[in-house]
């Protein structure tokens, strides 16, 4: 039994972990009624000729009804219903609702049900559904989960008749290649995302900073954050200069940005060998942990999540992705800006680009497979990407749809698009475990007092074990 929420269809999944079934909506039918007030005579009182004509009309009407019911039954038999799964994120769910509605208008013979689960449960739900033979026809997956999903027989390669590799590589941003294995693509994204520095213009002004001149370098970032940060008499932070949230996007900032800015690289050999247990990795981790321990610009766990602190106006800056744009825009009386991630003193910039792809279940076949191909084609079209951009804020995955003059000049989208130019995409082997390893690495320093060097060494050894264990 699957639990979650369903959109775009008839089945709804109830609260308290129980599934509630709604009866299919029936077409309303209206029974024929005799026209008691008309001027025709009852059948027994009609002349023979009139009676024969009436009988013919009835026969014709009956034949029409039979034909109508036959057509209805045929169409019902031809209708195809597929399921689309993704994790719960309000703007993403809203955008998919709209995409499903538009798709069904153009394809009235296909019904798409959207099923959502909390992010923490999503992978487990997909794996369990696949094992029980109830996998969704089309599903969303983080690109870093591909090896796990492919090895588990969850996905099938995209049919080449609908998704030829040469067209994919011509039209999409190069980072889509992270969904390719042994010459086969296993999914395509609707949108791609990079990181940027969000900043609160009001807190900048209150701290005597120019809200129209956000930090451009790491030194400027630290200086601005120290001016914004506020503490109570006990030294507890009340306003963060910048959020510190390894569980958010900071683990990506440390891995693909800071390590490179301090002269290293996180991995080698197609991201299968850990390469940060060196001076560059040490300096990157020292810099990050010093933001709390020495410079005191923020605190891990402040208001639980970094994005929550920023939304509440309690953080001057936060590093986050394009997917936050839709939710941040809903905040009333909150003026914020976006700028590129800070460069190092030598002007070196780096970024992390990622995406959630949409793949087709390995168990999908026949008419469901054809419907899934149509739906995947639509949700990776320019029209769908425009809806996603306006609703969620994530950038179109098609180069032609993203790199428009309007988007490049936009003060919000522009910094993210620039970031894509020099971004790296980590080829995770076990994204969830690798992310948790980075979180644990920082927590050992901040919470347990372990030295930066020892924690880095422990993290590097543990991550190599994770990568090796995940290899096919």
């Amino acid at each position: 039994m699957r639990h979650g929420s369903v959109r775009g269809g008839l089945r709804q999944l109830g609260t308290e972990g129980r599934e509630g079934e709604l009866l299919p909506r029936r077409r309303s039918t209206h029974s024929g009624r005799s026209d008691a007030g008309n001027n025709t005579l009852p059948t027994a009182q009609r002349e023979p000729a009139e009676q024969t004509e009436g009988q013919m009309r009835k026969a014709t009407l009956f034949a029409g009804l039979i034909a109508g019911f036959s057509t209805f039954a045929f169409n019902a038999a031809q209708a195809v219903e597929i399921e689309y799964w993704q994790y719960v994120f309000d703007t993403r769910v809203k955008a998919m609702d709209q995409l499903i509605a538009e798709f069904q208008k153009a394809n009235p013979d296909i019904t798409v049900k959207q099923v959502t689960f909390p992010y923490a449960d999503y992978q487990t739900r997909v794996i369990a559904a696949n094992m029980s033979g109830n996998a969704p026809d089309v599903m969303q997956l983080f690109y870093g989960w591909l090896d796990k999903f492919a090895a588990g027989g969850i996905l099938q390669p995209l049919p080449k008749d609908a998704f030829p590799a040469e067209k994919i590589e011509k039209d999409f941003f190069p980072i889509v290649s992270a969904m390719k294995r042994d010459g086969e693509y296993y999914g395509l994204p609707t949108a791609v995302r990079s990181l940027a520095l969000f900043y609160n213009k009001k807190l900048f002004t209150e701290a005597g900073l120019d809200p129209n001149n956000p930090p451009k370098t790491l030194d400027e970032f630290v200086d601005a954050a120290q001016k914004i940060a506020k503490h109570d008499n006990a030294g507890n932070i009340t306003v963060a200069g910048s959020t510190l949230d390894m569980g958010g996007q900071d683990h990506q900032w440390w891995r693909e940005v800071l390590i490179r800015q301090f002269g290293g690289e996180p991995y080698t050999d197609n991201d299968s060998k850990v390469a940060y247990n060196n001076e560059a990795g040490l300096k990157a981790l020292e810099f990050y942990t010093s933001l709390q321990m020495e410079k005191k610009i923020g605190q891990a766990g402040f208001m639980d999540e970094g994005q929550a602190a920023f939304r509440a106006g309690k953080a001057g800056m936060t590093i986050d992705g394009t997917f936050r744009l839709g939710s941040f825009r809903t905040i009333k009386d909150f003026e914020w800006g976006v700028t590129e991630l800070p460069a190092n003193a030598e002007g070196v910039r780096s970024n992390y680009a990622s995406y959630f792809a949409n793949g087709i279940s390995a168990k999908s076949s026949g008419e469901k497979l054809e419907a899934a191909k149509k739906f995947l084609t639509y949700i990776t079209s320019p029209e769908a990407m425009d809806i996603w951009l306006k609703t969620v804020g994530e950038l179109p995955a098609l180069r032609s749809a993203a790199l428009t003059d309007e988007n490049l000049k936009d003060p919000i989208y522009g910094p993210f698009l620039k970031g894509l130019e020099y971004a790296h995409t980590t080829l995770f082997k076990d994204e969830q475990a690798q992310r948790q390893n980075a979180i644990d690495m920082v927590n050992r320093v901040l919470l347990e007092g372990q030295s930066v060097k020892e924690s880095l060494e422990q993290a590097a050894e543990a991550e190599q074990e994770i990568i090796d264990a995940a290899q096919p």
Side-chain angles (χ1 to χ4, degrees):
M1 183 177 291
R2 287 168 286 178
H3 304 289
S5 61
V6 178
R7 295 174 178 267
L10 303 176
R11 180 165 61 84
Q12 292 185 345
L13 301 181
T15 57
E16 302 178 353
R18 299 198 308 176
E19 182 175 276
E21 294 289 336
L22 294 182
L23 292 176
R25 288 174 290 183
R26 298 192 178 107
R27 297 192 181 205
S28 60
T29 57
H30 302 281
S31 58
R33 298 176 57 189
S34 62
D35 295 324
N38 65 15
N39 295 322
T40 60
L41 295 171
T43 303
Q45 297 177 342
R46 292 178 187 166
E47 295 295 328
E50 185 180 1
Q51 185 172 350
T52 302
E53 183 180 349
Q55 290 172 339
M56 292 176 63
R57 283 200 300 268
K58 286 184 178 180
T60 302
L61 176 59
F62 181 74
L65 288 171
I66 293 297
F69 282 123
S70 297
T71 301
F72 174 77
F74 176 78
N75 288 338
Q78 294 298 307
V80 181
E81 183 175 273
I82 61 174
E83 283 193 1
Y84 175 85
W85 284 20
Q86 69 166 329
Y87 73 92
V88 177
F89 193 92
D90 286 347
T91 54
R92 298 173 76 88
V93 174
K94 180 181 177 182
M96 186 53 64
D97 280 343
Q98 187 174 348
L99 294 183
I100 289 172
E102 294 297 326
F103 175 77
Q104 290 182 159
K105 285 180 187 176
N107 298 273
D109 58 332
I110 302 174
T111 298
V112 181
K113 290 182 178 180
Q114 178 179 188
V115 183
T116 63
F117 300 99
Y119 182 84
D121 300 335
Y122 183 73
Q123 290 190 64
T124 303
R125 295 287 191 176
V126 173
I127 293 169
N130 187 67
M131 291 177 66
S132 66
N134 295 310
D137 301 284
V138 183
M139 70 196 78
Q140 189 180 85
L141 69 149
F142 190 59
Y143 80 92
W145 304 342
L146 174 57
D147 288 324
K148 180 188 292 187
F149 277 36
I154 295 173
L155 297 171
Q156 64 175 277
L158 296 183
K160 293 181 179 179
D161 61 332
F163 309 100
E166 59 273 15
K167 182 169 177 57
I168 291 173
E169 290 162 5
K170 172 178 174 291
D171 295 343
F172 285 79
F173 280 108
I175 60 175
V176 77
S177 63
M179 290 302 293
K180 188 178 184 181
R181 296 291 185 276
D182 299 323
E184 304 270 15
Y185 278 92
Y186 283 82
L188 290 175
T190 299
V192 295
R193 60 232 196 131
S194 58
L195 302 178
L197 183 68
F198 290 79
Y199 62 97
N200 183 318
K201 293 187 176 183
K202 179 182 178 182
L203 292 182
F204 263 60
T205 301
E206 290 177 354
L209 299 166
D210 183 357
N212 297 313
N213 186 29
K216 296 179 177 61
T217 67
L218 290 173
D219 288 340
E220 290 178 4
F221 165 76
V222 172
D223 180 64
Q226 288 180 313
K227 290 178 179 177
I228 293 170
K230 296 179 182 179
H231 304 79
D232 62 20
N233 293 333
N236 299 312
I237 199 145
T238 57
V239 176
S242 181
T243 63
L244 297 176
D245 187 1
M246 283 294 283
Q249 297 302 311
D250 284 6
H251 71 103
Q252 316 283 21
W253 182 40
W254 174 79
R255 182 188 294 107
E256 289 292 5
V257 181
L258 292 178
I259 289 175
R260 295 180 187 279
Q261 289 179 321
F262 282 99
E265 58 181 330
Y267 310 99
T268 58
D269 296 344
N270 204 31
D271 289 0
S272 64
K273 298 294 181 183
V274 174
Y276 56 73
N277 188 18
N278 51 29
E279 184 178 0
L282 183 64
K283 288 182 177 179
L285 186 55
E286 285 176 340
F287 172 83
Y288 184 81
T289 54
S290 74
L291 296 177
Q292 175 172 325
M293 300 181 70
E294 298 170 17
K295 301 177 177 67
K296 302 185 184 303
I297 70 167
Q299 182 176 326
F302 178 58
M303 296 189 69
D304 292 331
E305 293 182 345
Q307 62 89 17
F310 188 75
R311 286 175 62 93
K314 295 295 184 180
M317 293 175 283
T318 189
I319 290 173
D320 220 324
T322 46
F323 50 88
R324 293 291 179 205
L325 294 176
S327 59
F328 284 174
R329 281 173 171 157
T330 64
I331 308 171
K332 294 182 179 180
D333 302 321
F334 183 35
E335 190 175 2
W336 48 272
V338 176
T339 190
E340 292 177 78
L341 293 183
N344 68 4
E346 289 73 39
V348 175
R349 292 188 183 275
S350 186
N351 206 305
Y352 167 72
S354 66
Y355 55 88
F356 275 80
N358 300 289
I360 298 176
S361 168
K363 301 185 185 302
S364 186
S365 61
E367 60 183 8
K368 283 184 175 284
L369 175 58
E370 293 305 310
K373 287 160 59 176
K374 283 186 177 181
F375 185 59
L376 181 55
T377 298
Y378 174 68
I379 62 176
T380 55
S381 67
E383 176 188 344
M385 292 180 187
D386 185 60
I387 290 173
W388 199 267
L389 175 64
K390 292 174 180 175
T391 307
V392 183
E394 291 181 326
L395 304 169
L398 288 169
R399 294 175 58 86
S400 60
L403 300 177
T404 65
D405 288 340
E406 181 181 0
N407 287 343
L408 290 168
K409 293 177 182 177
D410 189 279
I412 301 299
Y413 299 142
F416 289 105
L417 285 168
K418 290 178 182 177
L420 283 175
E421 296 175 4
Y422 46 80
H424 299 270
T425 300
T426 310
L427 297 178
F428 290 107
K429 310 307 177 188
D430 186 339
E431 185 271 339
Q432 190 172 14
Q434 289 176 263
R435 170 164 41 96
Q436 187 61 51
N437 186 62
I439 295 170
D440 293 342
M441 174 186 67
V442 170
N443 284 342
R444 286 193 295 268
V445 177
L446 298 181
L447 304 179
E448 300 174 15
Q450 188 175 30
S451 73
V452 173
K453 187 174 187 300
E454 289 177 349
S455 190
L456 181 72
E457 291 175 349
Q458 185 175 335
E461 182 179 348
E463 185 166 10
Q464 190 61 61
E465 291 178 359
I466 292 169
I467 292 172
D468 291 344
Q471 298 286 6

